[in-house]
Amino acid sequence: MTTDATVLPVRGAAPYDVVIGHGVSARVVDLLGDAPTRVALVVSDTLRGLAAPIEKALAERYALTVIEIPEGEQAKAAATAITCWEALGEAGFTRSDAVVTFGGGATTDLGGFVAATWLRGVRVVHVPTTLLAMVDAAVGGKTGINTGAGKNLVGSFFEPSGVLCDLAFLASLPHAELVAGMGEVVKCGFIADPEILRLVEQTPDVDAVLDPAGPVLRELVERAIAVKIDVVVADLKETGGADGHPGREVLNYGHTLAHAIERAEDYGIRHGEAVAIGCVFVAEVAHRSGLLSAATLERHRTAFGRVGLPIGYDAAAFADLLATMRVDKKSRGAQLRLIVLEESDGVLSPRVLAAPDEQVLAESYAALGSAS
């Protein structure tokens, strides 16, 4: 078993640990302990081979049910959740049993939602296999599925019993998926941890930033997870922060447009790619609203762009995207709300921009096309 693990405690109402390191997925049985009789492993069909060691370990200790789900966002559908619930029912799952998710963010969201809703909640342990899932979906207790109206509109807050971020899995991740995961990492740099931006911008060889075996990417993973932990411990259910801070909503920086783009693309664009575009968009909005300097707007373009993320977009009509944004989870009634950054003496502070000027929104979106 690995000895290089970093343990980041989440000390909210339901405490758990996020364990980061090479080989830490082997700890899944120790984490579950003796309480469960039955365990369900939720895994996409394409990752069944990668999950084989965990599947074997679980089968040796528990009555194991393997639930195969579709790959990616296609998994986050009501029909898939029903399939999972039926499998748990057939296996006789009780409240002392547990679910283990193995895969990317969609698997974590779907599997967490199934665990949250079966018998009103059974234990769940997440084993994220992508950079995006490690720094975002697996931590914080948000679960959900998509509907025709939009992304993650049906869901619940349900914290896991533990998260095992095995960095060894990143070595088998396609390069494009690794790059996409950096969308959430760089976002964390802007909203809370400038050291993330320094590492991304000033590491001489950008390949070192994306090296799954290297120290830079590990530090970025740990820092991004630490940002998310700090936010969710302070505001688990998005009730708001103190002194005008948006609370947990700050994690949705760039996500309002990002989710609209994902829907417009029928989820053919990677989430982290859409987030990068969305962050540049809200930086444009903040700049044109007098909140953000031109230099910090440009820094958004260079930081996301340096790791290979898109910073421009004009593939959908803005009117259609705006209609989708109006039903975003952060909206209140007919009022669109964006998370933006306000700059004062070089210090960035997140805030909510309610009812932004539609002309500013249109001009900001048009600027994305000129950057592509």
Side-chain angles (χ1 to χ4, degrees):
M1 183 173 294
T2 181
T3 58
D4 74 338
T6 299
V7 179
L8 299 180
V10 183
R11 293 296 175 256
Y16 62 96
D17 290 333
V18 180
V19 186
I20 307 160
H22 290 83
V24 299
S25 58
R27 302 186 181 193
V28 63
V29 170
D30 292 337
L31 183 55
L32 289 169
D34 296 328
T37 299
R38 304 164 191 84
V39 170
L41 176 62
V42 179
V43 57
S44 69
D45 49 6
T46 57
L47 290 181
R48 188 75 180 270
L50 189 63
I54 286 180
E55 182 176 335
K56 181 175 183 294
L58 292 173
E60 290 174 350
R61 182 75 172 267
Y62 312 102
L64 179 65
T65 297
V66 178
I67 305 176
E68 288 193 1
I69 61 174
E71 181 73 7
E73 289 292 325
Q74 291 184 351
K76 292 173 59 174
T80 310
I82 291 171
T83 297
C84 294
W85 291 324
E86 294 294 350
L88 297 183
E90 291 175 6
F93 264 62
T94 69
R95 283 186 174 171
S96 63
D97 296 322
V99 172
V100 174
T101 70
F102 184 96
T107 299
T108 297
D109 287 349
L110 180 277
F113 179 67
V114 168
T117 49
W118 183 254
L119 298 177
R120 299 185 177 88
V122 297
R123 290 176 64 197
V124 61
V125 171
H126 297 311
V127 184
T129 60
T130 67
L131 178 58
L132 180 67
M134 290 180 187
V135 302
D136 185 36
V139 179
K142 268 192 176 181
T143 73
I145 57 176
N146 304 330
T147 71
K151 184 172 179 178
N152 296 330
L153 296 181
V154 176
S156 64
F157 293 98
F158 189 71
E159 293 184 275
S161 296
V163 180
L164 300 173
C165 296
D166 195 332
L167 300 174
F169 293 136
L170 298 182
S172 62
L173 200 64
H175 182 73
E177 293 291 343
L178 199 60
V179 169
M182 288 297 296
E184 290 285 358
V185 175
V186 176
K187 176 207 76 176
C188 287
F190 280 109
I191 65 172
D193 186 357
E195 181 63 15
I196 289 176
L197 299 179
R198 190 194 69 79
L199 287 167
V200 168
E201 296 168 334
Q202 298 183 22
T203 299
D205 183 1
V206 70
D207 290 339
V209 175
L210 297 170
D211 180 3
V216 178
L217 184 57
R218 175 167 182 157
E219 182 174 353
L220 288 170
V221 169
E222 292 178 356
R223 285 184 171 277
I225 292 173
V227 167
K228 184 156 192 183
I229 289 173
D230 287 346
V231 171
V232 300
V233 167
D235 181 26
L236 176 65
K237 296 186 177 182
E238 287 186 352
T239 55
D243 301 323
H245 191 282
R248 183 167 181 157
E249 283 188 326
V250 73
L251 297 172
N252 285 314
Y253 185 62
H255 283 54
T256 303
L257 180 64
H259 287 164
I261 289 174
E262 287 178 284
R263 186 181 173 196
E265 298 278 351
D266 196 23
Y267 303 104
I269 188 172
R270 294 176 177 86
H271 177 69
E273 295 169 341
V275 166
I277 297 167
C279 287
V280 175
F281 170 73
V282 289
E284 285 276 4
V285 172
H287 173 60
R288 293 167 187 271
S289 302
L291 302 173
L292 202 65
S293 69
T296 302
L297 167 59
E298 182 60 25
R299 193 180 191 189
H300 278 70
R301 298 191 185 105
T302 56
F304 286 107
R306 185 164 197 248
V307 294
L309 286 160
I311 56 172
Y313 185 82
D314 60 357
F318 180 65
D320 294 338
L321 295 173
L322 183 59
T324 302
M325 287 194 286
R326 291 195 184 283
V327 296
D328 180 80
K329 297 186 298 300
K330 294 180 296 302
S331 296
R332 299 292 184 268
Q335 187 182 74
L336 177 65
R337 299 164 73 253
L338 297 177
I339 304 301
V340 298
L341 295 176
E342 184 173 15
E343 190 169 1
S344 177
D345 297 325
V347 177
L348 302 178
S349 302
R351 55 162 283 189
V352 173
L353 180 63
D357 184 272
E358 288 198 15
Q359 183 63 31
V360 169
L361 295 176
E363 291 173 354
S364 299
Y365 181 73
L368 293 182
S370 64
S372 59

